């Protein structure tokens, strides 16, 4: 038993065929690139001649935002990006009609 040699013969399992390369029908979707706007905070406030500062954007009134979040102003609505609260403009007046959208939902197609 001192110098015995052990020969093992094992079958290879698996090792399937090589897959064909996929041919795509549509081109890849171009992802949205974030546009950096320098000094964006200047669009939120206005300073008049006396040095008085006024806010140009509406502040969100929802309890989870705690009054420190500006709402985005679109052409037909004002929208809070943090909680999803939306105010739609009614008619030609320009003032908002309250319409709560609830929590954020996924993108609509």
């Amino acid at each position: 038993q001192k110098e015995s040699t052990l020969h093992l013969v094992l079958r290879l399992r698996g090792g399937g065929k090589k897959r064909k390369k996929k041919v795509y029908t549509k081109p890849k979707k171009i992802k949205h690139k974030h546009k950096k706007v320098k000094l964006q905070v200047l669009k939120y406030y206005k300073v008049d001649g006396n040095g008085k500062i006024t806010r140009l954007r509406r502040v969100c009134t929802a309890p989870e935002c705690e009054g420190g979040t500006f709402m985005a102003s679109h052409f037909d609505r004002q929208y809070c990006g943090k909680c999803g609260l939306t105010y739609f403009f009614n008619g030609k007046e320009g003032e908002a009609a309250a319409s709560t959208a609830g929590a954020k939902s996924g993108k609509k197609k």
Side-chain angles (χ1 to χ4, degrees):
Q1 295 281 15
K2 286 182 183 177
E3 295 181 28
S4 59
T5 308
L6 184 66
H7 292 284
L8 283 174
V9 180
L10 297 172
R11 284 180 41 199
L12 284 173
R13 294 200 173 171
K17 289 185 178 177
K18 202 173 184 182
R19 285 183 174 231
K20 273 189 176 179
K21 191 167 185 178
K22 230 178 191 181
V23 179
Y24 295 101
T25 56
K26 289 190 243 173
K28 279 191 176 179
K29 186 176 171 184
I30 299 168
K31 291 187 178 176
H32 170 79
K33 288 180 186 168
H34 178 71
K35 296 179 192 94
K36 171 84 171 148
V37 181
K38 290 188 177 181
L39 299 173
Q40 177 71 34
V41 83
L42 296 178
K43 293 182 179 168
Y44 299 147
Y45 300 99
K46 185 175 79 176
V47 182
D48 59 2
N50 301 334
K52 187 178 178 189
I53 298 170
T54 54
R55 290 178 176 161
L56 297 175
R57 305 285 165 100
R58 187 181 191 143
V59 179
C60 185
T61 56
E64 59 256 32
C65 294
E66 300 172 9
T69 308
F70 286 111
M71 297 181 86
S73 45
H74 298 273
F75 70 99
D76 62 341
R77 67 196 180 279
Q78 289 176 325
Y79 175 74
C80 177
K82 193 172 181 182
C83 67
L85 180 71
T86 308
Y87 291 105
F88 286 94
F89 295 132
N90 53 352
K92 300 170 188 172
E93 298 166 12
E95 213 26 64
S99 169
T100 55
K104 275 192 195 178
S105 60
K107 288 184 181 177
K108 293 180 183 175
K109 291 182 181 179

